Amino acid sequence: MLSKKEKELLAEIWGRLTPVAEDIGSEALLRMFISYPGTKTYFSHLDISPRSPHLLSHGKRIVLAIAEGAKDISQLTVTLAPLQTLHAYQLRIDPTNFKLFSHCMLVTLACYLGDDFTHVAHAAMDKYLSAFAAVLAEKYR
Amino acid sequence: MVEWTEQERSIISGIFGSLDYDDVGPKSLCRCLIVYPWTQRYFGAFGNLYNAEAIMNNPKIAAHGTTVLHGLDRALKNMDDIKGTYAELSVLHSEKLHVDPDNFRLLADCLTIVIAAKMGSAFTPNVQAAFQKFLSVVVFALGRQYH
């Protein structure tokens, strides 16, 4: 459950990160590929080496979707409807991987924000990313 | 037995070598209790955990955080037999403390994030992978004696 304050904080943080979506997103993905090599199996069709164009554009896309969702968290199911369909019927990424990506996103944010990644931001972010992942997997079955 | 490369050993000992145990230990435990509030169930005897401020100012929690972090020193000194090193502690957590082993993973994740925040860009993906490998072996060892 996210409080009103937490939702505002999340909108604020993701608003701030939108200009560096490419950097944040590609770094989170890279961290995930290196710590959890099984996740690379979903990307055999792309060049996911550090700073590759594929990695940058893919990372950017993911962060922009997360940031968009943060603008109005109560509408997450509506905002993510197209992505739900994509993940359920085409990508079919096992949802365990969403947890792995979320963790690596938290690590990326911790490295990036340092002390600014307070316990409040951390808790809110973890809850938001869990909710995001849950909505994303809703159409799976 | 877990295989460690020279690089992994040096990364891991490097992290612990530069750690302020009295800062990172308490911070990590507090993060765990705040971000995953259900973990507070094991700390009923520790006094006031009413809100984040109370948790962060609680001296018993701080002391325990330092203790837990020093507990990792044992694994650091015995990287080739972490399972054996933690056999007794595993029994303790299972039979006496009755801690669900999932909690070890939660605390490990919080420790990773606290250290990432401290090290910033020095906590590269490769450093993260080595450190997480270490923690996952520790977590596994701590859960090993549960039955």
Side-chain angles (χ1 to χ4, degrees):
Chain A
M1 254 180 11
L2 285 162
S3 69
K4 186 160 166 280
K5 263 211 172 104
E6 285 175 316
K7 289 182 187 176
E8 284 165 10
L9 178 62
L10 288 164
E12 192 255 321
I13 292 177
W14 286 110
R16 251 197 295 153
L17 295 174
T18 302
V20 288
E22 208 176 58
D23 299 317
I24 299 286
S26 63
E27 188 182 317
L29 281 171
L30 192 63
R31 286 182 183 279
M32 185 182 71
F33 294 144
I34 291 177
S35 275
Y36 311 106
T39 57
K40 290 191 290 186
T41 57
Y42 292 99
F43 293 86
S44 51
H45 60 295
L46 295 179
D47 168 18
I48 49 172
S49 53
R51 306 302 295 177
S52 79
H54 283 164
L55 191 68
L56 290 169
S57 84
H58 209 77
K60 184 177 182 179
R61 201 176 324 155
I62 294 177
V63 166
L64 290 182
I66 295 175
E68 191 60 33
K71 287 182 186 159
D72 191 355
I73 294 173
S74 60
Q75 293 298 301
L76 216 49
T77 311
V78 175
T79 314
L80 293 182
L83 282 174
Q84 282 179 319
T85 307
L86 179 73
H87 283 75
Y89 299 111
Q90 264 184 267
L91 302 178
R92 290 175 293 186
I93 295 171
D94 189 302
T96 321
N97 296 287
F98 299 155
K99 278 208 175 101
L100 303 180
F101 180 75
S102 298
H103 171 70
C104 290
M105 178 55 79
L106 291 177
V107 173
T108 303
L109 293 174
C111 290
Y112 195 76
L113 299 170
D115 285 339
D116 280 350
F117 196 55
T118 62
H119 62 274
V120 181
H122 181 172
M125 196 59 73
D126 195 26
K127 287 192 276 184
Y128 173 56
L129 292 177
S130 303
F132 193 95
V135 171
L136 213 52
E138 248 170 27
K139 289 185 178 155
Y140 272 47
R141 56 175 175 172
Chain B
M1 207 192 76
V2 182
E3 301 282 329
W4 303 98
T5 65
E6 276 316 304
Q7 206 198 21
E8 284 171 333
R9 288 176 196 270
S10 117
I11 285 173
I12 293 158
S13 55
I15 291 175
F16 279 92
S18 63
L19 221 49
D20 177 358
Y21 284 69
D22 294 320
D23 177 49
V24 172
K27 267 201 175 114
S28 307
L29 183 56
C30 286
R31 275 294 161 120
C32 191
L33 296 171
I34 292 168
V35 176
Y36 307 113
W38 55 91
T39 57
Q40 291 168 27
R41 73 191 301 288
Y42 301 107
F43 294 87
F46 278 65
N48 187 2
L49 303 179
Y50 187 64
N51 55 29
E53 269 58 62
I55 292 171
M56 293 190 297
N57 289 318
N58 185 317
K60 283 185 176 172
I61 293 291
H64 196 71
T66 306
T67 302
V68 167
L69 193 55
H70 276 296
L72 291 179
D73 285 342
R74 287 196 230 185
L76 191 61
K77 296 192 175 95
N78 291 289
M79 280 178 66
D80 292 319
D81 184 22
I82 293 180
K83 203 164 72 176
T85 303
Y86 284 128
E88 239 181 83
L89 269 178
S90 178
V91 171
L92 175 80
H93 282 76
S94 160
E95 318 248 299
K96 191 155 170 270
L97 305 175
H98 307 293
V99 177
D100 179 343
D102 269 347
N103 292 282
F104 305 146
R105 202 185 34 84
L106 296 179
L107 182 57
D109 283 350
C110 287
L111 177 59
T112 303
I113 283 165
V114 167
I115 287 179
K118 267 199 124 58
M119 291 178 63
S121 54
F123 197 66
T124 64
N126 284 317
V127 169
Q128 178 188 349
F131 190 61
Q132 286 189 179
K133 178 178 169 181
F134 175 74
L135 289 180
S136 69
V137 174
V138 168
V139 164
F140 178 78
L142 279 173
R144 189 70 182 74
Q145 304 302 328
Y146 281 61
H147 63 97

